[in-house]
Amino acid sequence: LGAVFVCANVVTMLRIGHLELPVPVIQGALSGFSDLPMRRVARAFGCVYTMNEVILDELVVLPGKIQQQILHVPEDDHPIAGQLLGSQPDMFAAAAVRMVEAGYDVIDLNFGCPVKKTVGRCRGGYLLSEPRTALEIVSRVRDALPPHVPLTLKMRRGIDDSERAVHAFHEIFDGALARGVAAICVHARTVQQKYVGPARRAFFPSVVERLRSSGKPTQLLASGDVFEVSDAVELLGMGVHGVWVGRGAIGSPWVFRDIAHKLHTGHDHALPTFTEQRRAVWMHHRECVALYGVELGGRIFRSAAIRYADAHPRADEVRTRLFGCKTHQDLHDTLRLYWDDGHAEDHFGPVLPRQSYVRLVAAGAC
Ligand SMILES: Cc1cc2nc3c(=O)[nH]c(=O)nc-3n(C[C@H](O)[C@H](O)[C@H](O)COP(=O)(O)O)c2cc1C
């Protein structure tokens, strides 16, 4: 695959180790969302690389139901990275090996989770304050994995805004490059910041420069507030190799297709039609029920489903209806009422452009 350039300096493919992805955009890990149903819907709309919801290393190693679930990788769910959380280098390494044996194509280490319980147990974002332990984890996992399996890293721009945090970030970043990680994703918020306030995009040019001057082939991915096609284009224009889509993909799987279209043709893709939206909602529900069973699947579906309402001209009404769907028949009726082929547009008007709602979603307003 050759790199194609449509916008100045914007690369339209991504290489993670031996994997050549035709679009430099991935579905990032999202606990509570990026399960198999969400991943399958994303792939149906052009997503080329996905990740599991982060999993605690010991749950991968300990026999049990969770282990069985996480170690089941269906044939159509590739390429996929398995993301791990933990605090002990040995446990990380053991879990990484099990995940690769089960079929994960890439192992990703989570050094960014800001959840209080996680940080309190010296995991996730906490590791950004402990460069030695973080790099010991990178070394042990890299050594334990077969050489052809790429190892990647997810970090935030620091644990907080202190000078010390900046040094720790650089130490871990440089150390990971030296240890041969295939890619590093940086979420441009601090751990302390959690999700409050905008991601600091201005942080990326210096990281791009740092990587460039290292001469290492590691790829840099950017994360933070990627809600619209223009967000991805802006970040790629700063010289990062790829973009990690987080919340912007919830209930909006067409974001992958839209970004790819822009990068490959220079043009905007048409808005998702009512028919396409209905297809995505239906598929998501079907996958949830198939994986978790009717009751649990229905509940898990509802938390993701309410985001599908965003693009509908009657978003509030549709959200309430979707949230209230308890049975297959309820969903069927709701889809017929609000997304009926041919009639929906006459009835409700055109679907809403992303710009009209994504910033509210970003701010947590709906
Ligand atoms: C509900 C939720 C769950 C998340 N779970 C994970 C996770 O399991 N692993 C991870 O690396 N990041 C996780 N993240 C962070 C996102 O993947 C992403 O890096 C972050 O939200 C910034 O991107 P965004 O502003 O475009 O959403 C999560 C974020 C949210 C909001």
Side-chain angles (χ1 to χ4, degrees), residues 28-33 52-54 83 108 110 154 156 187 189 195 223-227 244-248:
L30 283 169
S31 297
F33 293 97
N52 65 324
E53 306 165 77
V54 69
Q83 193 188 63
D108 188 64
N110 182 314
K154 168 79 180 305
R156 289 187 173 229
H187 175 187
R189 290 188 176 88
Y195 298 93
S223 167
D225 295 337
V226 179
F227 291 102
W244 163 299
V245 185
R247 292 168 294 169

Side-chain angles (χ1 to χ4, degrees), residues 317-336:
E317 198 178 312
V318 176
R319 206 170 287 126
T320 308
R321 268 301 278 258
L322 277 177
F323 201 70
C325 284
K326 297 277 183 282
T327 65
H328 209 72
Q329 190 59 44
D330 290 344
L331 181 65
H332 191 260
D333 294 345
T334 302
L335 290 177
R336 265 196 44 193

Side-chain angles (χ1 to χ4, degrees), residues 86-102:
S87 59
Q88 304 294 328
D90 284 344
M91 189 60 92
F92 257 109
V97 169
R98 292 301 300 272
M99 288 184 100
V100 169
E101 284 168 357

